[in-house]
Amino acid sequence: SVKKTIELQKETEKKEKKWKVFYTLMFFLGLLLMLFEIFIYRITIIDVYFPISIILVIGFFAFFFNKQHYKKTYSLKGNFYPIMQNLISWGFISCYIFMAINYYLAENVTTNYRFKIKEKSSMPGSKHHRSERSPLVRFDYFGFEKELVFHFSDTEKVNSADSVKVFVRKGGLGFDILESYDIQ
């Protein structure tokens, strides 16, 4: 009986360890995919509320179904860690999948448009080149305000320009993908 109890306890510890490894891997996978998601987001013409909504809805949905198991696995009482685990792992993973489907299943046909620049400004350069400000322009893309950042070397060109030319493809889920852009 004691031997059986020890075997059962070892089996339980082994299962808990597997779940801890799983949760840790999903957490770091979510963080890694978040970086790729940000890259895709920057070249996708989409309102920020879409990806945020996906992260929150899927993350809280997963939290609802997963919180008891997660709390039991880590012997937790509060909800902070289970919420963060589910938002970062399942929320970011699902948002990346959404953004990747739109990006990788985009049409091959590129369309170009020309838009009048609404506003110009700049942002600081990289760590050791703060004074080399990167120029940026804002324009109205069919009712959606889009911001494009240029290289420091394009500052004079941006300052003298009055319009921007963008080349876009229709994304797999209907959100346009910015192929390239230039100042005019």
Side-chain angles (χ1 to χ4, degrees):
S1 176
V2 173
K3 187 176 181 180
K4 212 174 201 180
T5 305
I6 292 172
E7 285 178 17
L8 245 152
Q9 188 177 11
K10 284 183 180 180
E11 186 65 32
T12 304
E13 288 173 4
K14 192 175 178 181
K15 284 181 182 178
E16 283 181 3
K17 186 176 181 179
K18 285 181 182 179
W19 278 111
K20 286 180 181 181
V21 168
F22 172 76
Y23 284 131
T24 302
L25 287 175
M26 290 298 103
F27 182 83
F28 286 109
L29 178 63
L31 286 177
L32 177 67
L33 291 178
M34 177 189 67
L35 297 175
F36 293 117
E37 171 193 331
I38 290 170
F39 168 75
I40 295 173
Y41 171 76
R42 294 176 110 189
I43 58 173
T44 303
I45 300 173
I46 187 172
D47 196 342
V48 71
Y49 295 113
F50 277 99
I52 289 174
S53 297
I54 291 169
I55 292 166
L56 292 176
V57 168
I58 299 297
F60 279 110
F61 187 75
F63 165 73
F64 177 74
F65 285 104
N66 188 26
K67 70 179 175 182
Q68 296 299 33
H69 185 265
Y70 186 84
K71 287 166 126 179
K72 182 180 166 201
T73 302
Y74 285 97
S75 302
L76 297 171
K77 295 200 186 298
N79 287 328
F80 178 76
Y81 290 112
I83 288 173
M84 288 295 102
Q85 168 70 35
N86 288 290
L87 285 175
I88 291 172
S89 58
W90 306 118
F92 287 154
I93 290 170
S94 59
C95 188
Y96 169 77
I97 291 170
F98 173 82
M99 298 295 283
I101 288 171
N102 186 66
Y103 178 75
Y104 291 112
L105 298 180
E107 296 175 357
N108 289 331
V109 178
T110 303
T111 309
N112 61 340
Y113 299 105
R114 186 181 188 143
F115 297 100
K116 185 169 176 59
I117 295 173
K118 286 174 46 176
E119 183 182 346
K120 297 177 190 176
S121 61
S122 64
M123 56 190 273
S126 61
K127 189 174 185 178
H128 298 289
H129 302 278
R130 295 284 184 217
S131 62
E132 296 178 3
R133 298 185 65 83
S134 300
L136 58 90
V137 298
R138 288 184 187 86
F139 63 97
D140 183 41
Y141 184 83
F142 303 113
F144 180 80
E145 186 175 291
K146 184 66 180 167
E147 182 177 271
L148 300 176
V149 180
F150 292 86
H151 296 285
F152 172 72
S153 58
D154 295 327
T155 301
E156 291 300 319
K157 192 176 171 184
V158 170
N159 287 341
S160 64
D162 63 344
S163 65
V164 65
K165 189 173 187 178
V166 295
F167 299 87
V168 297
R169 294 183 300 146
K170 182 62 82 182
L173 297 174
F175 298 100
D176 289 344
I177 305 295
L178 193 59
E179 235 358 79
S180 63
Y181 53 90
D182 197 11
I183 207 77
Q184 300 219 310

